[in-house]
Each structure stands twice: as structure tokens, then as C-alpha cells.
Amino acid sequence: MYKIGIITVSDKGSRGERVDESGPAIRDMVKSLGEVTSYVVVPDDLDLLKEAMINMSDKEKIDLVFTSGGTGFSPRDNTPEATLAVIHKQAPGLAEAMRAESLKKTNRAMLSRAVAGIRNSTLIINMPGSVKAVRECLAVIMPALPHGLEILTGRGGECGSTE
């Protein structure tokens, strides 16, 4: 089982003006992967978001971090930029798969700027802010995550292995 972190990105949520619903939705959907051991709500602030990701990866040794929110076109949407600033390797297939599936439901999916990548041995994935979109996107990537995490954390074999 893996250690999972959730970072909800919301100015209003961080001030207590809005109840976070996407974080709990993620928590419910990822139970098969492990335990959510870290959960924070941060404002749409580039530096605070980078700090939260670095803390979960480097200090808390979280295996998988989900962010929720901050991936759109608003001037305050900084999640992709924060993620790209802290990761060492990109994992574009995850965001591409989420966008491709979401496009079947709404043309607004092409406006998502979500990214995914690896910092040390932590996989960081940007999720949408809405509960409905979080559920749809997680449903797409969940089947691939166990294998990816096995390889990333050294708990599994080689991807091309036929053994």
C-alpha cells in the first residue's frame, strides 16, 4: 500500500469560505492504492503550492500526490506551473488520458492545463477542481497507477519484462 497526499488548491477553501468536496472524493476513490496520510488546502499561490508539494515529496515521503484545482485559465490558476517547477520528470500520458476521456463528455476539457510528473520517488498528478471531473479523470487513470507506482517506488519488476 502507498502513502497518498492530497493538496486542494482554493483561495476560498483556504480561508474557510468553501467546503472542499474534491479532496474527499479523491480520498474515497484511491482507497485501493493506499492511505491518505497528508491532506492540505492551500490558496492559489505559486510558492505555497510548490512548498506543499516539496514537503509531501521530500519530507513526508508520500508516494502519490494529487492536487485538485488551479488548472484552468484564471490568472490565479498556478497548479501546473508549480508542478512543473518541482518535478524532475514529466509523465504526460496521465494528463493526456484524462483530457482525452473528458473530451468525450465536454469540449471544455481541452482547456485543462493539468500536468503530471515525478519528483524523486513521488508521482504528482494535477486533477480538476470539480468533484464530477475528479471522479471521471480518476476512473481513467486508476487502472494504470498500481503498475506505475510499483516501478517508481522499486516495488515491482521491469515494464518490458515477460517473466
Side-chain angles (χ1 to χ4, degrees):
M1 297 304 272
Y2 299 98
K3 289 174 63 176
I4 301 168
I6 299 171
I7 303 171
T8 296
V9 186
S10 169
D11 285 334
K12 289 182 179 180
S14 69
R15 294 190 302 259
E17 298 171 8
R18 176 184 293 160
V19 174
D20 176 31
E21 296 179 1
S22 59
I26 294 170
R27 181 187 303 265
D28 289 343
M29 288 190 71
V30 299
K31 286 179 182 173
S32 65
L33 294 174
E35 180 185 356
V36 174
T37 59
S38 190
Y39 166 75
V40 295
V41 179
V42 299
D44 289 285
D45 178 272
L46 184 66
D47 291 329
L48 290 176
L49 186 49
K50 289 192 300 189
E51 183 181 312
M53 288 186 224
I54 290 169
N55 183 55
M56 284 187 184
S57 172
D58 299 4
K59 294 179 183 157
E60 297 181 48
K61 304 296 184 195
I62 303 288
D63 299 304
L64 175 61
V65 173
F66 291 101
T67 66
S68 177
T71 60
F73 282 17
S74 166
R76 293 282 295 161
D77 287 339
N78 291 304
T79 304
E81 288 71 29
T83 305
L84 290 169
V86 303
I87 61 173
H88 303 126
K89 298 177 182 179
Q90 291 190 45
L94 294 166
E96 290 167 3
M98 290 188 293
R99 273 190 284 275
E101 186 62 27
S102 295
L103 274 168
K104 296 175 183 176
K105 296 169 177 61
T106 175
N107 63 4
R108 291 183 182 178
M110 67 182 78
L111 302 177
S112 168
R113 299 181 314 107
V115 298
I118 298 165
R119 176 180 178 83
N120 300 320
S121 60
T122 301
L123 177 59
I124 301 172
I125 303 171
N126 297 163
M127 302 298 291
S130 85
V131 174
K132 181 178 184 286
V134 160
R135 287 187 178 125
E136 291 171 354
C137 288
L138 263 176
V140 173
I141 64 171
M142 279 293 288
L145 291 181
H147 181 67
L149 289 168
E150 284 176 7
I151 300 301
L152 179 61
T153 62
R155 298 182 197 178
E158 296 298 318
C159 288
S161 175
T162 57
E163 299 174 324

